[in-house]
Amino acid sequence: MRYIRPLSIEDAVGQLAGSAGTAAILAGGSDLLVRMKGGFVEPDLIVDIKAIEGLSEIRETADGFSIGAAVPCAVLGESASLKKAWPGVVEAANLIGSKQVQGRCTIVGNLCNASPAADSVPALVAAGAKALVAGPSGKRTIAVEAVPTGPGRTSLAKGEIIEAILLDKRAPRSGDAYLRFIPRTEMDIAVVSAGVNLTLDEQGVVKSARVALGAAAPTVLLVEEAAEALIGRKLDEAALERLAKVCAGACRPIDDKRGTIEFRRKVAGVLARRAATTAYARAGGK
């Protein structure tokens, strides 16, 4: 096994592209090191990206925010401007693991681990976040929901690295929220989760919306019909009931010891309804 700590994204990409065996990227390591210890993976090459300039920074620009791939989730919670603009994204990131894990884990790692139950991903999808991908052919930007293709699988090609997560500058009267259901009160995996992002007009009518569900299918679901149930309306009881019904129907969950299909569908609707109510209030709706 080789371990390298490149100082540039170009070097990291080159090392990954030229590797002959299995390669892995190390940022926080909260997923990778656990899998290695459990014997589930034994990379021939580990590329530690924490020394690459800019990858451990949150940058606020005129266009929004750029969150480097090596930024720990705890740091997201310490960014006042990010919390104000995207509270749902920060809430989701701050639910990953324990306080100790928070100091290491990253939202890019959470995304690339490609678990259907990943906490940060539904919130990022609802936020319309994009991934800045660096690879042998240069850089490209893709929607976050295009990264996971199934449990443990991503669309990234050999040599590609997600350099940063990009969040747009918030429009006025906007708000987002993320909620999950877990059997315990702390440090558990979501049985089902929901992220909602809303923008209102001056009268409090929803003019744009995104609704995402986690742990409800092999990948996070962006439920466009759920968004349509809210657009053009204030968040009245009829709109919330329609939202819950659509979300429950959109689920493609599994039966396991943590929850049945019927239970997950029911809870998906309840969480979407509650997250929408919180997002609406944060956007200034009454």
Side-chain angles (χ1 to χ4, degrees), residues 6-65:
L7 300 179
S8 71
I9 196 73
E10 292 78 14
D11 187 13
V13 166
Q15 293 282 352
L16 288 167
S19 64
T22 303
I25 297 170
L26 174 64
S30 55
D31 286 315
L32 175 62
L33 297 183
V34 171
R35 292 172 63 204
M36 289 173 62
K37 186 175 182 180
F40 299 107
V41 62
E42 188 173 338
D44 299 293
L45 171 67
I46 295 176
V47 179
D48 186 339
I49 63 172
K50 291 190 291 297
I52 298 175
E53 184 178 359
L55 265 62
S56 296
E57 299 176 6
I58 299 174
R59 296 176 179 173
E60 185 174 3
T61 69
D63 298 323
F65 293 88

Side-chain angles (χ1 to χ4, degrees), residues 103 107 123 235:
I107 56 173
L235 211 64

Side-chain angles (χ1 to χ4, degrees), residues 28 30 72-78 83 90-106 180 185-188:
S30 55
C73 288
V75 175
L76 270 65
E78 295 169 355
K83 285 173 69 175
V90 175
E91 284 170 345
N94 287 168
L95 286 172
I96 302 170
S98 64
K99 292 295 184 184
Q100 294 89 339
V101 170
Q102 282 285 313
R104 301 293 300 178
C105 67
T106 69
R180 68 176 183 178
T185 57
E186 295 288 345
M187 290 188 294
D188 208 341

Side-chain angles (χ1 to χ4, degrees), residues 36-235:
M36 289 173 62
K37 186 175 182 180
F40 299 107
V41 62
E42 188 173 338
D44 299 293
L45 171 67
I46 295 176
V47 179
D48 186 339
I49 63 172
K50 291 190 291 297
I52 298 175
E53 184 178 359
L55 265 62
S56 296
E57 299 176 6
I58 299 174
R59 296 176 179 173
E60 185 174 3
T61 69
D63 298 323
F65 293 88
S66 173
I67 303 169
V71 175
C73 288
V75 175
L76 270 65
E78 295 169 355
S79 172
S81 57
L82 182 62
K83 285 173 69 175
K84 182 178 179 181
W86 293 101
V89 170
V90 175
E91 284 170 345
N94 287 168
L95 286 172
I96 302 170
S98 64
K99 292 295 184 184
Q100 294 89 339
V101 170
Q102 282 285 313
R104 301 293 300 178
C105 67
T106 69
I107 56 173
V108 170
N110 198 225
L111 173 64
C112 292
N113 191 49
S115 166
D119 278 310
S120 68
V121 182
L124 289 171
V125 171
K130 295 179 174 61
L132 175 61
V133 181
S137 301
K139 297 186 180 183
R140 62 191 178 105
T141 302
I142 60 174
V144 161
E145 57 267 31
V147 175
T149 58
R153 303 193 305 275
T154 74
S155 62
L156 299 178
K158 183 178 176 64
E160 288 191 322
I161 299 174
I162 294 182
E163 185 175 338
I165 295 295
L166 308 178
L167 290 165
D168 289 340
K169 182 178 180 180
R170 292 312 302 257
R173 295 178 295 278
S174 296
D176 70 323
Y178 172 80
L179 290 171
R180 68 176 183 178
F181 174 81
I182 58 175
R184 303 186 297 180
T185 57
E186 295 288 345
M187 290 188 294
D188 208 341
I189 300 169
V191 176
V192 69
S193 61
V196 178
N197 179 31
L198 303 174
T199 298
L200 315 180
D201 66 15
E202 294 179 357
Q203 286 71 46
V205 174
V206 178
K207 64 179 184 179
S208 67
R210 285 173 69 93
V211 179
L213 300 175
T219 60
V220 170
L221 295 173
L222 178 63
V223 190
E224 294 182 358
E225 190 179 351
E228 292 168 2
L230 303 177
I231 295 172
R233 311 183 64 163
K234 291 190 174 182
L235 211 64

Side-chain angles (χ1 to χ4, degrees), residues 252-264:
R252 304 194 305 275
I254 59 172
D255 267 319
D256 63 18
K257 63 183 180 181
R258 306 183 72 250
T260 64
I261 291 173
E262 182 181 9
F263 177 77
R264 283 188 162 105

